[in-house]
Amino acid sequence: MKSLGPLLRLARAAVPLHLARSACPLRPAVVGVLHARFKYTQHQGVKGIKNRKSFFEAQMQAGQQSDADEADEERTNGIQADMRFLDDRAYDEVAGGAMRISRDIASAQHVLILQPYVKWSAKRKDMPSDVRPEDQLAEASALIHSLPNWQVAKALKVPLESLERKTLFGSGKMLELKALIADLRQEKHLTCLFVSKGTLSFAQKRFLEAEFRLPVMDRYSVVIQILRLHATTAEARLQVAMAELPYIWSQAKDASVTQTRRQGYALTDLQKEILRTRERKLRAELDRVRRQRQLLRQKRKQQNYPIVAVVGYTNAGKTSLIKALTVEDALQPRNQLFATLDVTAHGGQLPCNLQVIYMDTVGFMSDLPTGLFECFVATLEDAMLADVIVHVQDLSHPCHVAQRTHVESTLRSLAFNVSGGDPATSQLPPIINVYNKCDLLSQPASDADSDAAAHHISARAQTGLEPLLADIEEQILAATGRRKLQMRVPSGGPEMAWLYKNAAVVDTVADEAYPNRLMMHVVISQRTLDQFKRQFL
């Protein structure tokens, strides 16, 4: 059986990176045809990047891929075998009690949205001055519209003295809201109350539910419901499941406290053990995901592909920009919040013919605990460790300045966590600011809201992309130590073939002084240049 190893590795290498997680179901088909003659199938790699047969044949001959295959097989088999624990009815009962969410999203919901805000600007904490309650209410409505069969019955702003009160609303405001809910119940079937606040304490939720006789959800709960809907891959489901646990624990308090003083709800010993066991399994699987992601990054580093991470606020147009830069028809951007949950790789080419990989990432959102996005750090590490970051911003959004500030602060926090708390290694890669959706502006942005160094583009109309690509190219060359050189080589010789294989050839022109030679304009790293010198000079 040892002689079959290269064949099995060759068949497995034919699976694209973005299908690596689902590679396990393909193994029986491979085993079933071992008696037949194998035909070479070229490795597909990252979408849009053409890999070379000779590179993988050399790897097979040297046996460099055996450890990677064993790690990949271990991860695939482990996830397929252990993913069943995510569908646990006992856990769903605990999560439903804490978050008021359900796996059944097909049933219609009519939601009343309440957007509380502090009416005195001097008392607003952690809220940018340019963010208006109207903008917050619009974002809350967009969250509800992201769920199928969920409709907004009514959305209104509620001015308050403070957001820290136990009852949240005063007695007078409670009477007004009760009368409003009674009227809405006569007009339509009201099923849920959405208080657009990051997190509500369990005491606040319990009081409001008792007063209004409706399930109460906060922003964290609604976002988790959206993430559950959009989480289709194994990695996304694991990360969403992990993001639920901190919220559930924060809502629960020890049962030793008396009923009158209890601020949360009491979990039984069995429920606590269910949560602990689930958290332990999730951490083990996410560690496996991080090791696999690290392995993929090492493979890309060996192949010397530069990485460009595309980040931004949710629904800013990240996927649309990648589609415009890579001309990849398979990408289907959606006008939804949190439409992308997986960090996916897409191959592209810079003006100098240098091939790069664009990493699509999950979008961020304000008024949510940073811990929710820290649960996605297993895949967001690809963005933190990229060569260049492209920060996409929706210039047509009235709060784009606040969104930009929020994304930058979240990136710094994630970089600090990825580095293990070491400030020396938590520096972010170079960031290129991109103002997207310029075609939606009725008038040009003012100088106060615009950055002169940022690129004004429209990914949908594909305008402004050439200066952006030139800037990405410049930043990539500086970050990876590549240079543009002009080299004279024999026409049709092995030097010419070697450069086409190992460097990015911009163009070739005939050498007027030496008819049998060519002038090749290439983009090459110092390490590759040293290899060329050792081999041919």
Side-chain angles (χ1 to χ4, degrees), residues 146 225-232 236 334 336-339 341:
S146 298
Q225 187 74 72
I226 297 173
L227 296 182
R228 278 188 171 190
L229 171 66
H230 294 166
T232 56
R334 291 175 290 170
Q336 288 182 335
L337 302 181
F338 299 109
L341 291 186

Side-chain angles (χ1 to χ4, degrees), residues 30-51:
V30 174
V31 176
V33 296
L34 287 178
H35 61 278
R37 169 180 286 183
F38 275 84
K39 181 180 179 181
Y40 176 79
T41 303
Q42 187 177 10
H43 180 85
Q44 297 298 319
V46 179
K47 288 183 178 180
I49 288 186
K50 182 179 179 181
N51 293 277

Side-chain angles (χ1 to χ4, degrees), residues 476-518:
I476 284 292
L477 296 183
T480 61
R482 286 177 166 86
R483 293 183 294 165
K484 290 183 178 180
L485 296 179
Q486 188 176 24
M487 305 178 69
R488 179 184 288 112
V489 298
S491 179
E495 297 90 346
M496 184 177 178
W498 194 94
L499 288 174
Y500 268 109
K501 178 181 178 180
N502 297 282
V505 179
V506 181
D507 61 7
T508 59
V509 294
D511 190 346
E512 297 180 356
Y514 302 93
N516 61 338
R517 293 181 178 270
L518 291 176

